[in-house]
């Protein structure tokens, strides 16, 4: 009764109707942005929960320790590490050629392949969501994954280089002019800027690998899932609209033949 009285009161009051209409308009305008953030958070949780991503992050964190504690680095490569700023450079140079691109391609392809194998993509497409937003959220997460991988590699490199120190040194960071030999004395601020610039460029270089690994497979998967859901919906509609089967005619009477 109170709800009906409130509705009648709102009908009689034009100001209340205007305020309610404006509230709904503001809610509708903010809904798409909130939906995109929700999809991004969901895709990030899915990405971090994948087994291949966990293995890739662990390996990326452990690679710098191998180079920092390598016993015969000078005999094999002719390189002597004199500063902790050189550990990120040698870790990036050796891993960005094969290991990190392989991890990026496998993990980004698994973002769609796992959902198709587990059957979780079709229920997502059945919801009243824009398919372009779903694919865009997956693509954004895939493009940010190389940056996350390199951030883990950089963190492991800084921790592995603590024993060498991060003060000013004579030589190069490995990611600036002169390579590891350098052009004389190098202060810590310049070495840090060279390392950050090199890792940023590495993330940009591997971003197309993530997109190419996910886009063709995602297009096939979403089209197949959409076809399956549409066929299932059409079968359900046809089964509901189909008239019940008629019972067979009764046999004639033996006495009179009617």
């Amino acid at each position: 009764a109170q709800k009906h009285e409130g509705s009648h009161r709102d009908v009689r009051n034009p100001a209340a109707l205007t305020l309610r209409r404006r509230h709904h308009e503001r809610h509708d305008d903010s809904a798409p942005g909130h939906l995109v953030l929700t999809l991004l958070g969901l895709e990030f949780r899915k990405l971090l929960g994948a087994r291949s991503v966990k293995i890739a992050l662990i390996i990326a964190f452990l690679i710098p320790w191998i180079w920092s504690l390598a016993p015969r680095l000078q005999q094999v490569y002719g390189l002597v590490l004199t500063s902790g700023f050189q550990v990120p450079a040698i870790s990036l140079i050796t891993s960005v050629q094969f290991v990190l691109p392989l991890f990026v391609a496998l993990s980004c392809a698994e973002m769609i392949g796992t959902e198709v194998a587990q059957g979780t993509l079709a229920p997502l497409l059945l919801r009243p969501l824009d398919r372009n937003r779903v694919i865009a959220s997956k693509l954004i997460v895939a493009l940010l994954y190389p940056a996350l991988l390199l951030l883990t590699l950089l963190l492991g490199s800084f921790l592995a280089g603590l024993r060498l120190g991060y003060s000013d040194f004579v030589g190069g960071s490995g990611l600036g002019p002169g390579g590891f030999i350098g052009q004389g004395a190098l202060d810590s601020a310049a070495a840090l800027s060279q390392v950050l610039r090199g890792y940023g460029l590495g993330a940009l270089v591997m971003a197309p690998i993530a997109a190419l690994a996910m886009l063709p497979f995602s297009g096939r998967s979403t089209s197949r899932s959409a076809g399956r859901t549409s066929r299932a919906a059409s079968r359900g509609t046809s089964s509901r609209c189909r008239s019940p089967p008629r019972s067979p005619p009764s046999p004639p009477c033996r006495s009179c033949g009617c």
Side-chain angles (χ1 to χ4, degrees):
Q2 292 179 357
K3 292 182 179 179
H4 288 294
E5 291 176 0
S7 61
H8 287 302
R9 194 179 296 114
D10 291 341
V11 171
R12 295 174 185 176
N13 191 359
L17 291 175
T18 304
L19 290 176
R20 180 176 294 183
R21 189 181 301 111
R22 290 179 180 177
H23 173 73
H24 285 297
E25 288 177 357
R26 288 195 298 268
H27 180 73
D28 292 340
D29 292 339
S30 60
H34 179 70
L35 177 61
V36 171
L37 293 178
T38 304
L39 289 174
L40 289 176
L42 178 62
E43 293 301 329
F44 265 114
R45 287 194 296 269
K46 289 180 182 179
L47 180 69
L48 295 178
R51 184 181 302 176
S52 62
V53 175
K54 294 178 181 179
I55 295 175
L57 292 176
I58 292 174
I59 293 178
F61 184 79
L62 294 179
I63 284 177
W65 297 91
I66 299 175
W67 295 109
S68 177
L69 302 175
R72 300 184 59 187
L73 190 62
Q74 182 179 4
Q75 288 81 359
V76 178
Y77 294 97
L79 178 63
V80 178
L81 298 179
T82 58
S83 174
F85 290 110
Q86 295 175 337
V87 178
I90 190 172
S91 302
L92 179 65
I93 293 173
T94 54
S95 59
V96 80
Q97 298 178 2
F98 178 73
V99 179
L100 294 184
L102 179 63
F103 286 151
V104 169
L106 291 177
S107 301
C108 292
E110 191 180 0
M111 290 178 62
I112 302 293
T114 304
E115 293 193 7
V116 174
Q118 295 178 355
T120 58
L121 185 62
L124 182 63
L125 295 176
L126 280 175
R127 296 181 179 181
L129 299 175
D130 188 6
R131 189 180 303 171
N132 294 328
R133 290 180 182 176
V134 176
I135 299 301
S137 63
K138 293 181 180 294
L139 180 59
I140 292 173
V141 172
L143 293 177
L144 293 178
Y145 175 62
L148 177 63
L149 204 59
L150 287 179
L151 184 62
T152 306
L153 181 68
L154 182 62
L155 179 61
S157 300
F158 281 149
L159 293 177
L162 283 175
R163 68 180 189 87
L164 299 174
Y166 291 101
S167 59
D168 301 342
F169 64 101
V170 177
S173 64
L175 297 174
F180 290 98
I181 299 176
Q183 298 177 348
L186 184 64
D187 59 313
S188 58
L192 180 61
S193 64
Q194 291 176 5
V195 170
L196 294 179
R197 184 175 65 248
Y199 272 72
L201 291 176
L204 291 177
V205 167
M206 288 193 295
I209 299 175
L212 291 175
M214 195 195 73
L215 283 180
F217 188 58
S218 65
R220 280 199 309 272
S221 303
T222 51
S223 61
R224 289 177 183 175
S225 299
R228 292 172 185 171
T229 53
S230 62
R231 286 194 297 269
S234 63
R235 281 197 297 266
T237 305
S238 61
S239 63
R240 287 194 301 267
C241 297
R242 190 180 301 163
S243 60
R246 297 180 179 179
S247 59
S250 58
C253 182
R254 295 182 179 179
S255 59
C256 61
C258 60

